[in-house]
Amino acid sequence: MNLTIGFLGLGLIGGSIAKSIRKYHPDYTLIGYNHNYETTVLAKKEQILDYAAKEVDASFQNCDIIYLCMPVSLNEDYLIKIKPYLKPGCILTDVGSVKGTIHRAVKNLSLEAYFIGGHPMAGSEKTGFSNSTDHLLENAYYIITPCESTSKAALDRLYTLTKSIKALPIILDPKEHDYAVANISHLPHLIASGLVNLVKNSDSKNETMKTLAAGGFKDITRIASSSPIMWQQICLTNKENIVKTMEDYIAYFSEVKNAVKQENKEYLYQFFEQARIYRNSLPTKTSGPITTVYAMYCDLIDEAGSLAKVVVVLANHQISIKNIGITHTRDFQEETLRIEFYEKNAMLLAQKLLEQLHYTVTICS
């Protein structure tokens, strides 16, 4: 069965879903609208879309599924705009990381018969259609939050489509979803941004901390590079859950502070040991709310052309590199190369090849 699928918004997530559907369902008809019409035209030029809509209009009236991928603050406006063009049986879904507010808006507009909430737990520090890919959602959990009146047939259709683009669909209640992501996604972003700002405000005039910051600091604060507009909106729309998790975190961290102050050896050991065990038990096959990074550190041998040699070795074995750069950390003996890969298998093959050439390689965990 060929479907007609519409997109309201073609940013990182909307664009990635569209590209994934085009990849796995080339016969589907895809219609898209974006507030920047040039983006919509580009998507059609790249043959992702079959039709580039200039407005939210009757172009969408034959859609079987419509993805609402606009900024959260604009959701209600676009629900109103698309409502007249929803045919019977059409599924209207969104991609926002907070579900309570969109479900309330849907109820107020009497759209529950059409709506099924969605949250693809994948992303990037980069934004926009130009950074979207047809593999961003692969092995990423994709939360689906149906309404009370959602039919089994509609839920099964969205579930099946989500699975077909290699995402991992999970059905949750909207309230359960919002509390979970407040803990595992929203709070970590606040902590990362807070830590970066703390270092910024505590640094000396000659920026000693900024100069020394590398390796671990950059890894754990990577998500602080995300869109400030998006995270502002998330904080405003999931306020109650975020405040609760922040209060729990502050209370818990006060205990840790007291343990450090009182030199409580046993508490501190258990603090780090329990975190180590639980962290190592986390699944690694999914991209999750904070995308998995496949990266390694490699000591550069002190000889001419050592950097070029590493690149040539990887290129000769057709290993694609996502990012590469020399770090200024002194955790290693010589200058250190940090290499990021798109896939885990590519990283492990690179490790094997470089170690055979007597490079010291350390996988980032």
Side-chain angles (χ1 to χ4, degrees):
M1 176 182 176
N2 291 340
L3 299 177
T4 298
I5 300 179
F7 291 87
L8 303 182
L10 288 166
L12 177 71
I13 299 300
S16 294
I17 295 174
K19 289 179 180 180
S20 298
I21 292 175
R22 177 59 73 210
K23 176 181 179 180
Y24 293 106
H25 303 284
D27 295 334
Y28 284 9
T29 300
L30 304 189
I31 299 170
Y33 163 83
N34 196 70
H35 66 280
N36 182 348
Y37 184 59
E38 292 179 0
T39 297
T40 323
V41 172
L42 175 62
K44 187 175 187 302
K45 183 178 179 180
E46 294 183 359
Q47 299 183 326
I48 304 303
L49 296 180
D50 296 289
Y51 180 77
K54 289 185 177 181
E55 303 289 342
V56 178
D57 55 22
S59 306
F60 293 90
Q61 64 184 357
N62 293 318
C63 287
D64 300 293
I65 300 174
I66 296 176
Y67 286 88
L68 176 59
C69 308
M70 303 299 289
V72 174
S73 60
L74 300 178
N75 273 345
E76 191 162 353
D77 290 341
Y78 279 90
L79 287 173
I80 294 170
K81 289 181 179 181
I82 198 63
K83 184 176 180 179
Y85 307 110
L86 299 175
K87 72 174 185 179
C90 177
I91 296 172
L92 176 63
T93 186
D94 78 318
V95 297
S97 62
V98 179
K99 307 285 21 122
T101 50
I102 186 72
H103 273 272
R104 286 191 290 272
V106 163
K107 186 174 183 178
N108 291 337
L109 292 169
S110 301
L111 288 171
E112 289 180 291
Y114 300 95
F115 187 75
I116 303 176
H119 175 201
M121 299 186 72
S124 167
E125 298 81 28
K126 298 180 180 180
T127 59
F129 181 79
S130 61
N131 292 303
S132 62
T133 71
D134 62 10
H135 57 268
L136 183 69
L137 280 74
E138 287 186 11
N139 294 322
Y141 287 122
Y142 196 119
I143 311 303
I144 297 174
T145 59
C147 298
E148 291 182 4
S149 59
T150 298
S151 70
K152 184 179 184 302
L155 184 59
D156 287 348
R157 187 193 300 179
L158 183 60
Y159 188 98
T160 300
L161 177 61
T162 303
K163 194 172 182 180
S164 75
I165 60 175
K166 309 305 179 184
L168 304 174
I170 294 179
I171 300 172
L172 287 179
D173 174 82
K175 291 182 180 179
E176 182 182 5
H177 167 276
D178 285 357
Y179 181 65
V181 296
N183 281 270
I184 64 170
S185 177
H186 303 169
L187 180 62
H189 275 81
L190 285 162
I191 292 172
S193 295
L195 182 55
V196 171
N197 286 331
L198 176 65
V199 169
K200 172 182 174 294
N201 296 334
S202 303
D203 207 354
S204 60
K205 290 183 178 180
N206 59 358
E207 297 187 324
T208 301
M209 295 183 189
K210 184 177 182 180
T211 302
L212 298 176
F217 181 83
K218 293 184 73 174
D219 287 342
I220 66 175
T221 60
R222 175 173 53 89
I223 53 179
S225 297
S226 301
S227 165
I229 295 175
M230 179 181 74
W231 282 100
Q232 176 199 56
Q233 293 300 313
I234 287 173
C235 287
L236 295 175
T237 53
N238 200 24
K239 179 181 68 175
E240 290 79 8
N241 287 305
I242 291 175
V243 168
K244 173 66 168 61
T245 60
M246 290 183 75
E247 289 173 346
D248 291 344
Y249 181 77
I250 291 168
Y252 179 61
F253 219 63
S254 292
E255 287 185 8
V256 180
K257 180 191 71 174
N258 289 334
V260 174
K261 187 176 181 179
Q262 296 166 9
E263 300 182 9
N264 188 332
K265 295 180 180 179
E266 180 60 24
Y267 183 101
L268 292 172
Y269 177 84
Q270 290 300 327
F271 171 76
F272 291 111
E273 174 67 356
Q274 290 173 15
R276 182 187 69 83
I277 293 173
Y278 189 77
R279 170 64 172 78
N280 290 342
S281 73
L282 296 178
T284 58
K285 66 178 181 178
T286 59
S287 55
I290 303 171
T291 52
T292 302
V293 174
Y294 301 115
M296 63 168 60
Y297 290 114
C298 174
D299 275 1
L300 286 179
I301 298 173
D302 188 15
E303 60 182 27
S306 59
L307 174 57
K309 186 176 182 180
V310 170
V311 174
V312 169
V313 168
L314 301 182
N316 285 343
H317 288 81
Q318 298 182 322
I319 298 175
S320 296
I321 299 173
K322 183 178 181 181
N323 198 8
I324 187 169
I326 296 175
T327 71
H328 298 288
T329 179
R330 280 302 172 192
D331 295 337
F332 298 86
Q333 295 177 358
E334 306 292 344
E335 289 292 340
T336 304
L337 200 62
R338 189 178 193 277
I339 313 172
E340 292 185 16
F341 304 86
Y342 289 100
E343 299 176 346
K344 183 178 181 179
N345 288 341
M347 177 185 70
L348 295 177
L349 176 58
Q351 178 188 24
K352 179 180 178 180
L353 294 170
L354 293 173
E355 286 179 342
Q356 288 175 349
L357 296 173
H358 307 295
Y359 287 92
T360 300
V361 176
T362 302
I363 300 296
C364 300
S365 59

